[in-house]
Amino acid sequence: MTLEENLRIDLAAAFRLIHELNMHESVANHLSAAVSTDGKQFLMNRRWMHFSNVTASNLQLLNSDDATVMDSDQAPDTSAWTIHGNLHRALPEAKVILHLHSTYATALSTLKDPRILPIDNNTARFYERIAYDTHFGGIATSNAEGQRIVATLAGKKALMMGNHGVTVIGETVAEAFESLYYLEKACKTMVLAYATGQELNVMPHELALKTAVSWDEFSGAAFAHFDQLKANLDRKDPSYRA
């Protein structure tokens, strides 16, 4: 099996898993993965394709340098092209890009201060490792907005998009999915902690930094988690592989 074939299967699995976790939104939101070393050729879900219907074979192969696709009957969603096209064009290290409007991350993104504060292990995972965009420019349908989002990511592997949602990047689908999974858990913790109305017990800087770095020792867990979730999919509905 080729690298692209394996990537198609993993990305299709991510769509199905995000649907199972109820982190999808209608036929919106997009996941993509680069198939070329420069990142410019990438796979992405087709326009208005529900996550539960994505398969390895129906993922669309795009080239971020070829905008003529937007004038064809195969045009992807405009906002998806704006965000993913610009990110893949500018950041070859962003092999996998997951953009969602998941419930708790989006709720946190609407606050005046959308920061994920280090109040437990999961929230500390993102301490000084996530960028924050508090200059929402509306639905991302312009190239300028896409370029602004690229600049705001600023070398981080996750972006809290104010009044919008979240974007995470990773070297592999498994690693990006794991970041997304923990990001939503961290945001849920933040929202629930705020809901108590009590003062948050925020870790001091050194402890938060130490906790964030400690997560690097568990990087292999991302692959174990994703492989077992794929195995569950295979038992229930392996059609994502088609």
Side-chain angles (χ1 to χ4, degrees), residues 11-217:
L11 192 60
F15 280 101
R16 299 296 185 93
L17 292 169
I18 288 169
H19 172 251
E20 285 201 348
L21 291 169
N22 197 29
M23 292 167 65
H24 62 300
E25 182 175 84
S26 182
V27 290
N29 296 176
H30 301 83
L31 319 179
S32 63
V35 299
S36 61
T37 54
D38 63 4
K40 293 183 179 182
Q41 284 190 308
F42 63 97
L43 301 168
M44 190 170 70
N45 44 318
R46 292 180 180 274
R47 184 171 183 253
W48 299 347
M49 172 76 72
H50 195 271
F51 278 26
S52 65
N53 293 323
V54 173
T55 67
S57 62
N58 67 31
L59 288 164
Q60 190 171 14
L61 181 62
L62 299 164
N63 187 322
S64 61
D65 280 340
D66 183 10
T68 62
V69 70
M70 298 305 294
D71 299 319
S72 74
D73 59 1
Q74 297 298 313
D77 181 88
T78 306
S79 64
W81 177 257
T82 297
I83 295 173
H84 293 256
N86 274 287
L87 283 168
H88 280 297
R89 186 185 306 112
L91 303 174
E93 67 273 19
K95 299 299 185 187
V96 179
I97 303 168
L98 313 182
H99 171 66
L100 292 181
H101 304 163
S102 50
T103 302
Y104 289 98
T106 303
L108 192 62
S109 83
T110 67
L111 301 184
K112 190 72 172 178
D113 180 0
R115 289 178 300 158
I116 299 174
L117 302 176
I119 57 174
D120 78 330
N121 281 337
N122 293 340
T123 50
R125 177 189 178 107
F126 298 96
Y127 186 68
E128 296 195 345
R129 296 185 171 197
I130 183 169
Y132 294 92
D133 176 10
T134 55
H135 297 90
F136 178 60
I139 295 177
T141 56
S142 71
N143 194 52
E145 179 67 2
Q147 291 175 350
R148 189 190 66 77
I149 289 170
V150 169
T152 308
L153 194 57
K156 300 291 196 300
K157 292 191 174 181
L159 176 64
M160 177 68 73
M161 307 169 78
N163 306 108
H164 189 164
V166 292
T167 296
V168 300
I169 65 175
E171 283 289 318
T172 64
V173 175
E175 290 167 304
F177 179 85
E178 192 80 339
S179 291
L180 182 71
Y181 173 86
Y182 275 107
L183 183 56
E184 181 69 358
K185 285 182 69 69
C187 291
K188 182 176 182 178
T189 297
M190 286 296 303
V191 170
L192 293 177
Y194 277 135
T196 68
Q198 296 190 49
E199 185 178 356
L200 301 182
N201 185 16
V202 181
M203 297 178 194
H205 169 73
E206 291 300 332
L207 177 58
L209 199 60
K210 176 184 176 182
T211 306
V213 171
S214 294
W215 275 100
D216 295 339
E217 300 173 19

